Amino acid sequence: MGYLGGFKVTWNQKGKKQRVTREYAKDEGGKRDKPERLHGRHVLNRYEDGMEKCIGCELCAGVCPAKCIYVRGADNDPADPVSPGERFGFVYEINYLRCIHCDLCVEACPTEAITESKLFEFSFTNREDAIYTKAELVVDDDGLPQQLPWEDWTDLADIARNSSAWVRATAPGGSADYVGKVGWSGELGFGVKDPELGQTAPDPVVPAPDASHGGGH
C-alpha cells in the first residue's frame, strides 16, 4: 500500500460515531513516573548559601549544537557579589524552539550551574514565551524551579529533587571508581545529595507469581 496506507486509516474513520478522545494521563490514574535522568527543561541552580552557580563563562553556549543558548557575563560587585567567582551570568537565555535537550550544556558547565529538570509538559502560544530568560531559569528561594503559566508542575514534589540527577559520564553511574562519591556540590533547598550507587545498585526485585492464582485444573 505504501504511502497510501495513511489515507486508508483516515478513510476508515469517516462517518464513525464512536470516536472517543481520552484526557491526557487522567484516564490512567495520573501521570506516569518519570525516569530519574529524563532530560526536561533547564534550571539554573544556586549554592546552599543562595549564591548563583553560573559564572558567565559561556561554555554551555559554545558547546550547544543547536545554538539555542545565549550567555553574557559581567563582573561581580565586590561588595555584593552574585556568584562566588569574579564574574556571573548577567544575561542567560534558552530558545526552546531550537533546544534538542542533548544535555551537552550540563556536561560542559564547570560549576554545575545548569541542569535539566524532569519537566517536559510545557507548550507556548507565542514565540516570545519559548525564549526563557535568566529570571525564569534561576531557581526560587526554596531551590525549586520557577513555575510558568504554560508548564504542568502538578508532580513537582516527586521530581524536583531529581533536578540534578543527570551527571557527567565520569560520575558514579559510569565508573566503578566513583561509586559512593557525591556527584554534585550542595544546592539551595536540597543540601548535599546522596551519592549514587553506580554499578553497585541492586537489580530490581521481580515479584514471584502467586501460587493461589495458578493455572491448575
Side-chain angles (χ1 to χ4, degrees), residues 66-88:
K67 303 300 180 186
C68 70
I69 300 178
Y70 176 77
V71 183
R72 280 293 175 266
D75 292 337
N76 267 314
D77 180 356
D80 186 23
V82 178
S83 73
E86 295 181 0
R87 294 170 62 81
F88 70 100

Side-chain angles (χ1 to χ4, degrees), residues 45-193:
N45 299 296
R46 294 196 275 167
Y47 291 103
E48 294 177 272
D49 60 2
M51 298 194 79
E52 295 179 6
K53 290 188 174 184
C54 180
I55 57 175
C57 67
E58 305 180 26
L59 285 176
C60 53
V63 76
C64 179
K67 303 300 180 186
C68 70
I69 300 178
Y70 176 77
V71 183
R72 280 293 175 266
D75 292 337
N76 267 314
D77 180 356
D80 186 23
V82 178
S83 73
E86 295 181 0
R87 294 170 62 81
F88 70 100
F90 178 68
V91 176
Y92 204 111
E93 295 179 354
I94 298 180
N95 186 344
Y96 277 104
L97 296 175
R98 306 182 67 174
C99 178
I100 59 175
H101 295 281
C102 65
D103 231 18
L104 287 178
C105 53
V106 180
E107 296 277 353
C109 181
T111 61
E112 303 162 357
I114 184 168
T115 57
E116 293 200 25
S117 70
K118 310 307 155 202
L119 175 73
F120 67 93
E121 297 153 306
F122 62 113
S123 58
F124 324 102
T125 56
N126 62 69
R127 298 176 70 88
E128 291 183 359
D129 290 340
I131 301 176
Y132 278 53
T133 65
K134 177 182 174 180
E136 296 167 329
L137 293 168
V138 175
V139 295
D140 63 20
D141 292 337
D142 295 321
L144 298 174
Q146 304 285 344
Q147 301 179 46
L148 303 180
W150 50 85
E151 300 176 342
D152 183 1
W153 284 103
T154 53
D155 55 349
L156 176 66
D158 297 326
I159 65 176
R161 184 167 177 79
N162 289 331
S163 63
S164 298
W166 178 259
V167 289
R168 295 176 175 82
T170 54
S175 171
D177 296 334
Y178 287 82
V179 171
K181 294 185 179 181
V182 176
W184 293 101
S185 58
E187 291 183 2
L188 182 65
F190 300 104
V192 178
K193 298 184 180 181

